[in-house]
Amino acid sequence: MSLVVGVDIGNSTTEACAADVGADGEVTYLSAALGRTTGVKGTTANVPGVVEVVARALAAAGRDPADVQAVLVNEATPVISGLAMETITETVITESTMIGHNPDTPGGVGLGVGTTVAFAGLPDCAPGDAVICVADADVDFEDVAAGINAAIARGVRVTGAVVQADDATLIANRLREPVPVVDEVTLVHRVPLGMPAAVEVAEPGRTIRTLSNSYGIATVFGLDPEQTRMIAPVARALVGNRSAVVVRTPSGDVTGRRIPAGALTLIGERAKRSVEMDAGALEIMETWRRVRPLVDADGEPGTHVGGMLARVRGTMAELTAMPRDAVRIQDVLAVDTFVPQRVTGGLAGEFALENAVALAAMVRTSKGPMELLAARLREALGTDVLIGGVEADMALLGALTTPGTARPMAILDLGGGSTDAAVADAGVAEGAQVRSVHLAGAGDLVTSLIDSELGLDSTDLAEEIKKFPLAKVESFFHIRMEDGTVRFFDEALPAEAFARVVVLTDAGMRPIRTGHGVERIRQVRRSAKQRVFVTNALRALEQVAPGGNIRQLGFVVVLGGAALDFEIPDMIAEAVSEFGIVSGTGNVRGCEGPRNAVATGLVAGHASARAAHAEVRCG
C-alpha cells in the first residue's frame, strides 16, 4: 500500500484527503483536513496553506509524513473575479422641495398643510392663517412649544413643525393641540419660507400614506396632470418613510434621471456585440447568449465596469507575468439590483433606492503557474508532487462516492468567486475527459448585493446575513425566528439586542442596526441567492448538458462551501425539479458532506491509473 495525499487548492479553502492505495487500485481512505487558501489559487503563495493542510490530514490519520509516497494536487489554474456596481438612475432635487427621512422619534401624528414660516415669524401671523413652523437648533424645545401654543391661542392654525434638533417628541408632548413634527432636518435653513408645504407623520409601526402617493401630493397642492407627473419621483422617494415634508416652490423640481453607465462589449468566437449597461441585466445576459462562448469582454473607459475589468486584467497579469493585453475575460454575470443613494438636493440626508446593475467578471489563465507551484511544493514537503486531472473531472470522481448517485451525473461546485459545473455521461470511463464550464458569480456577489440593497456598508455583516437565519428579539428572554417559531432563554439576552433584528451566527446573536424588518432582510437575502446561485446553476447546467437539454441529466450533486448553506441547495433542487432531475447536497465518501470532493477524486483517479497500469503490466 502507498500513502498518498490528494490536495484541492480552491479560491477560499484548501482541502486534503489522505489514503492508502494498493497496487490493484484498492483505496483505504484515512482522513480529511480543511484550511484557508494562502494567496491566490494556483500561485506559489499557496505553498504554506498546502503544507499546513497536508500536515493536519496526516496527523488526523496518525501517519508519519516521511511515509508519504506522493502528494496529488489539482490543476488549480488561477481565477480572478471582480465585481462592479453601476447605478443607472438618480433622484435629483432642485431648490430643496422635499424632506423625506426616518428620524427615530418624530412627534405627533397626522397630515398638516400650510405655509412655511420661521419660528421668529409666528407672532406676525394673522388669526386663521394655516402655517408650518420652521425652527433651527438655536431655539430651545420649550420655547418652540410655547411659541406654537401662543400662536394657536391667538387663532393661528399651526398645522405642523419642522425642526433641526432631535426634539420632535419633546415639542409634541407640550402642545395644546397635537400636530405632526419632523425633526433632525440637518439643513433646515434651506427650507424655503413662505411656500405651501405639507408635513406628515404616521403612527408608530406604520408608514406615511399621502405624501408617498403622487395623487395625494396632487390633492394637497392642487396640481394638474403635468405637475403630477413631475412630482412622481418625490412620492417614489418617500415610500416606506414614517415621516416626510414636501414644500412646493415656483421653480423647484424633483426629477428622476438615468445616468450614462457606459457600454459593455462582449466578444464571442463568432460574434461581437456591445450593450449599454443601463439597458439592465436581462438585456446584458441576452447579449451574452447571442455571442457565447465568450472569449473576451471590455468595458467603456471611465465607468465602474471599465475600471473593474481593467483591475481584473491587471491583477492576473501581475500574478502570472503575462502581458496585460494577453489576459482574456472568460465569463460575465449581470444582476439587476437596487442601491440606496443619497438624494441630490435633499435637506436631511435623504436616500432613495436607485436602479443599478451588478456585474461579476472572471479571467482564467493557463496551467503554467501550476508547474512552478508543484516544484515549490516538492521542496517544502520533501516528497513527489503530481499534478492530477482537471478540477471538474476530479470533483466528479469524488462526487460519485456520494451514496445513491449514478451516471449520467452533473456536479455544481459553488464557491466564493465562481460557479463550476461538469457532467459525466453514462458511458464515460472514470478519468476520461468530461464536459465542464467555469462561470463568474457566486458567494461574493451575493454578499455584495445584500450589502448594497440593505445599505449596511459592512461586508462582514452582509456575509453573516447570507449564511445564518434571522430573528427578532421580542423580550430579554425570548426571540421570534424568521419562520415564526419562538425560542426562549434561561438567561437575559444582551441589552443591545433588545427589540432589534439579529443574525443567529455560530458565535451568538449579532444585532442588525438598520430600520429594516425581518421580512425585508429575509426577502433581500433569498432574492440575492436566487439571482446569483440559481441563475448560474441553470446557466451552467444548460452549457454542460447533452445538446444543451437539461432534461438529459439524471442527477445533480451540489458541492463546495455554498452547498453547506441552509437555503441554496433547496433553491437549486426546486429549480431543477421541473426537469425531472434528482438534486441534493453531496456526501462525499458518505461522511464528508459536500466538502473534499476534488481531493477525494484526485486519490480515486490516482488509484484507477495504478490499477490500469498494473493490468497492462500483468497482461
Side-chain angles (χ1 to χ4, degrees):
M1 303 287 281
S2 298
L3 176 62
V4 300
V5 182
V7 178
D8 170 25
I9 305 170
N11 290 312
S12 302
T13 59
T14 298
E15 301 173 355
C17 172
D20 282 325
V21 178
D24 59 353
E26 180 183 356
V27 180
T28 303
Y29 293 104
L30 303 174
S31 64
L34 174 72
R36 298 291 298 176
T37 298
T38 54
V40 176
K41 170 183 175 179
T43 65
T44 54
N46 300 154
V47 172
V50 173
V51 171
E52 180 184 354
V53 79
V54 168
R56 283 160 56 182
L58 293 174
R63 302 295 290 270
D64 189 340
D67 295 335
V68 176
Q69 298 294 310
V71 171
L72 316 167
V73 296
N74 58 311
E75 289 186 4
T77 56
V79 175
I80 302 294
S81 60
L83 299 174
M85 198 82 72
E86 286 281 14
T87 305
I88 58 178
T89 62
E90 179 183 36
T91 300
V92 180
I93 302 176
T94 60
E95 300 214 12
S96 307
T97 55
M98 180 193 79
I99 304 170
H101 69 140
N102 273 321
D104 293 332
T105 52
V109 172
L111 174 69
V113 181
T115 302
T116 53
V117 174
F119 173 75
L122 278 181
D124 300 328
C125 296
D129 288 349
V131 299
I132 290 174
C133 175
V134 181
D136 61 28
D138 294 334
V139 185
D140 185 76
F141 66 88
E142 290 187 333
D143 293 337
V144 174
I148 292 176
N149 284 331
I152 292 174
R154 291 190 300 103
V156 179
R157 294 170 49 219
V158 182
T159 59
V162 179
V163 298
Q164 186 174 25
D166 184 11
D167 293 337
T169 301
L170 296 172
I171 294 170
N173 289 342
R174 289 164 172 76
L175 297 180
R176 295 171 56 183
E177 298 178 7
V179 300
V181 183
V182 173
D183 60 2
E184 299 180 64
V185 178
T186 311
L187 302 177
V188 72
H189 62 279
R190 286 177 48 187
V191 175
L193 301 176
M195 298 295 173
V199 179
E200 184 176 11
V201 175
E203 294 180 359
R206 296 179 179 271
T207 59
I208 58 174
R209 300 291 301 274
T210 302
L211 298 185
S212 61
N213 175 3
S214 300
Y215 303 118
I217 297 176
T219 302
V220 167
F221 294 115
L223 305 181
D224 60 32
E226 185 58 34
Q227 292 170 325
T228 302
R229 193 189 323 277
M230 292 177 62
I231 209 71
V234 172
R236 189 186 75 236
L238 296 178
V239 170
N241 284 1
R242 189 188 161 198
S243 64
V245 181
V246 173
V247 183
R248 185 183 180 195
T249 59
S251 59
D253 189 17
V254 179
T255 61
R257 72 181 183 94
R258 296 188 80 80
I259 302 171
L264 175 68
T265 301
L266 301 177
I267 305 168
E269 289 185 353
R270 295 178 300 275
K272 174 181 177 180
R273 296 179 184 269
S274 292
V275 57
E276 294 293 330
M277 288 295 296
D278 59 9
L282 191 64
E283 183 62 29
I284 292 171
M285 296 314 295
E286 187 58 37
T287 303
W288 169 82
R289 288 185 178 88
R290 288 197 289 265
V291 304
R292 68 178 184 185
L294 192 69
V295 296
D296 200 7
D298 205 2
E300 186 174 325
T303 64
H304 292 304
V305 170
M308 181 269 286
L309 294 180
R311 286 193 303 273
V312 168
R313 293 182 196 274
T315 302
M316 182 60 83
E318 290 178 14
L319 289 172
T320 61
M322 293 174 61
R324 190 187 185 96
D325 57 3
V327 177
R328 298 286 181 263
I329 304 296
Q330 179 178 308
D331 186 57
V332 296
L333 172 67
V335 178
D336 284 322
T337 183
F338 294 95
V339 182
Q341 294 285 329
R342 190 176 296 276
V343 175
T344 304
L347 300 187
E350 296 94 342
F351 283 82
L353 281 177
E354 304 291 356
N355 296 100
V357 175
L359 188 76
M362 182 189 65
V363 293
R364 197 175 191 180
T365 186
S366 66
K367 64 179 182 179
M370 276 303 301
E371 300 291 347
L372 181 58
L373 172 59
R376 295 288 175 84
L377 285 174
R378 291 186 189 100
E379 297 173 4
L381 295 170
T383 189
D384 196 16
V385 176
L386 306 176
I387 300 177
V390 175
E391 190 171 347
D393 297 30
M394 297 301 101
L396 268 170
L397 290 180
L400 282 167
T401 65
T402 296
T405 59
R407 301 168 185 268
M409 184 188 79
I411 61 138
L412 287 169
D413 190 354
L414 311 177
S418 61
T419 299
D420 295 350
V423 64
D425 294 331
V428 178
E430 290 191 358
Q433 183 68 36
V434 297
R435 293 188 301 278
S436 62
V437 68
H438 201 65
L439 302 180
D444 293 345
L445 179 56
V446 173
T447 301
S448 178
L449 292 175
I450 293 172
D451 188 24
S452 64
E453 292 185 14
L454 293 177
L456 301 175
D457 197 25
S458 171
T459 303
D460 291 340
L461 179 56
E463 183 74 15
E464 291 182 342
I465 291 173
K466 177 183 75 175
K467 295 167 61 176
F468 300 105
L470 305 166
K472 178 67 178 290
V473 178
E474 297 188 338
S475 79
F476 284 115
F477 293 94
H478 85 277
I479 63 175
R480 187 172 299 275
M481 308 289 285
E482 64 177 69
D483 63 357
T485 59
V486 177
R487 180 180 171 189
F488 293 90
F489 296 85
D490 294 330
E491 298 182 1
L493 299 172
E496 61 267 19
F498 180 68
R500 289 192 178 276
V501 179
V502 295
V503 189
L504 303 177
T505 72
D506 291 338
M509 295 181 187
R510 180 171 179 180
I512 304 174
R513 302 186 184 279
T514 72
H516 301 296
V518 172
E519 282 303 315
R520 169 61 179 163
I521 299 173
R522 180 177 182 271
Q523 183 268 330
V524 168
R525 182 193 71 210
R526 291 182 59 85
S527 173
K529 291 177 180 178
Q530 287 275 0
R531 283 175 285 161
V532 176
F533 282 114
V534 176
T535 297
N536 252 0
L538 296 177
R539 196 164 67 109
L541 293 176
E542 180 185 356
Q543 292 185 65
V544 299
N549 185 359
I550 298 180
R551 295 183 184 277
Q552 297 296 318
L553 301 174
F555 299 88
V556 172
V557 177
V558 184
L559 305 169
L564 297 169
D565 187 87
F566 68 105
E567 293 176 312
I568 294 170
D570 292 342
M571 289 180 173
I572 292 175
E574 182 179 356
V576 301
S577 62
E578 63 180 275
F579 301 104
I581 296 173
V582 179
S583 174
T585 303
N587 189 16
V588 177
R589 306 203 312 270
C591 62
E592 295 294 334
R595 295 284 195 185
N596 216 249
V598 174
T600 298
L602 286 165
V603 173
H606 178 72
S608 178
R610 286 195 63 168
H613 181 68
E615 290 177 7
V616 170
R617 187 171 54 196
C618 290

